[in-house]
Amino acid sequence: SLIGSLALGALAVYLWRSSGSETVAPTLDAGPPEASVPDSAPPDVKPRKPKRRKMTPEEVDRLLEWARRAALGKRYTRPPKDNVRDLLARIEKDYPKHPKVLRFRKRTCRRLLKAAKRRRRRRKYTSAARYYLACYELDREHQKARRAYVSTKIIQGRKALARRRYKIAYKHAAAALKTLPVSINANDLAGDVSMKRKHYRTAVKHYSRALKGKVRGRRKRALKRKLRKAKRKAK
């Protein structure tokens, strides 16, 4: 009958639901929320350094006064930043060949050379060499100061060699060669000291360098004899 059919249908629905066999629409695992990605990463721009301000004329005058006081205190090349050379270099960084700096440097070098000459006449070679070198370090174009420093160091080296103070003699020669590597006299001295110390290969090097200079006559023949002897000893 119709009623019986309806009852059976209702019973079937009830049993299907209670059996837990109801299919549930599967859900996709969406995962974590997607991170927002910018369209383009900002460029790695370094912050600009502020432009260095140029020194004012008043600051130039103050540094020149500082340099003048340093010269009075004989602080020509040291201590760092508080010496004539470094102070003038600070000015010339902004004003190359500043007329006031050029005049001050020339005046200071003139005084240094006079003081060096007086000391050299009195055979105070250490202080004389120091003043010559200070002038040359203030003005690298001052060839007179350069040559005078080298010749003073050679005098000191020869005196030390005569007293058999070979290490000191070689230090004087090396100081001269550091300032003027092509010096014939300084290389000759270094060669002589090296022979006394039995450093024959070093002697060969120095005598060879001396002979590359403008040397002639007896001096050239004497250097050649020294070189031959050093080569024999070096074997």
Side-chain angles (χ1 to χ4, degrees):
S1 66
L2 179 61
I3 296 172
S5 297
L6 292 172
L8 287 171
L11 178 62
V13 171
Y14 171 78
L15 292 172
W16 175 70
R17 287 183 176 176
S18 62
S19 68
S21 61
E22 181 180 5
T23 59
V24 180
T27 58
L28 297 175
D29 186 7
E34 187 176 357
S36 59
V37 180
D39 294 338
S40 60
D44 185 14
V45 179
K46 292 182 179 179
R48 289 184 179 179
K49 290 183 179 180
K51 191 175 180 181
R52 185 175 169 276
R53 182 179 60 82
K54 196 171 183 178
M55 200 178 294
T56 64
E58 290 76 16
E59 289 171 326
V60 170
D61 290 339
R62 281 199 293 271
L63 280 179
L64 279 170
E65 177 59 22
W66 187 358
R68 187 186 69 81
R69 294 181 182 182
L72 289 174
K74 298 182 180 180
R75 300 191 307 275
Y76 299 108
T77 57
R78 59 182 178 222
K81 298 182 181 181
D82 183 23
N83 63 70
V84 176
R85 181 188 57 193
D86 291 355
L87 292 167
L88 297 185
R90 282 175 62 183
I91 299 171
E92 290 189 314
K93 188 174 182 179
D94 284 348
Y95 302 97
K97 296 184 178 180
H98 192 292
K100 289 184 179 180
V101 171
L102 293 177
R103 286 197 297 270
F104 181 82
R105 183 181 283 118
K106 186 176 181 180
R107 191 165 58 246
T108 304
C109 259
R110 191 163 53 239
R111 286 200 295 265
L112 284 168
L113 290 179
K114 285 182 179 179
K117 285 179 182 178
R118 285 197 301 269
R119 282 159 177 76
R120 185 162 162 167
R121 281 197 300 266
R122 297 171 187 170
R123 299 182 181 181
K124 295 181 178 181
Y125 299 113
T126 300
S127 57
R130 187 167 61 247
Y131 286 133
Y132 282 131
L133 183 60
C135 175
Y136 178 61
E137 289 190 347
L138 286 177
D139 184 2
R140 289 289 181 172
E141 296 180 2
H142 206 304
Q143 296 304 313
K144 184 179 179 181
R146 185 188 193 187
R147 289 191 299 269
Y149 169 74
V150 169
S151 66
T152 305
K153 296 306 288 184
I154 291 168
I155 291 171
Q156 290 180 282
R158 288 291 175 190
K159 286 182 174 296
L161 178 59
R163 296 180 188 131
R164 299 182 181 180
R165 301 175 71 180
Y166 302 136
K167 287 185 179 180
I168 294 174
Y170 193 81
K171 283 183 180 180
H172 288 307
L177 289 170
K178 183 180 179 181
T179 306
L180 190 61
V182 297
S183 170
I184 296 168
N185 291 332
N187 274 298
D188 187 14
L189 169 63
D192 291 349
V193 178
S194 297
M195 288 294 288
K196 291 292 186 181
R197 299 176 75 186
K198 298 183 180 180
H199 297 169
Y200 301 121
R201 290 184 180 179
T202 304
V204 168
K205 177 186 71 174
H206 287 301
Y207 290 141
S208 298
R209 287 179 181 174
L211 283 164
K212 287 180 181 178
K214 293 180 180 179
V215 57
R216 55 180 62 87
R218 290 182 180 179
R219 183 73 185 284
K220 189 172 185 177
R221 290 193 293 273
L223 281 170
K224 283 184 174 181
R225 285 195 299 271
K226 290 179 180 181
L227 179 59
R228 286 194 297 270
K229 183 178 178 181
K231 285 181 175 179
R232 286 197 303 271
K233 294 282 188 178
K235 289 181 180 179

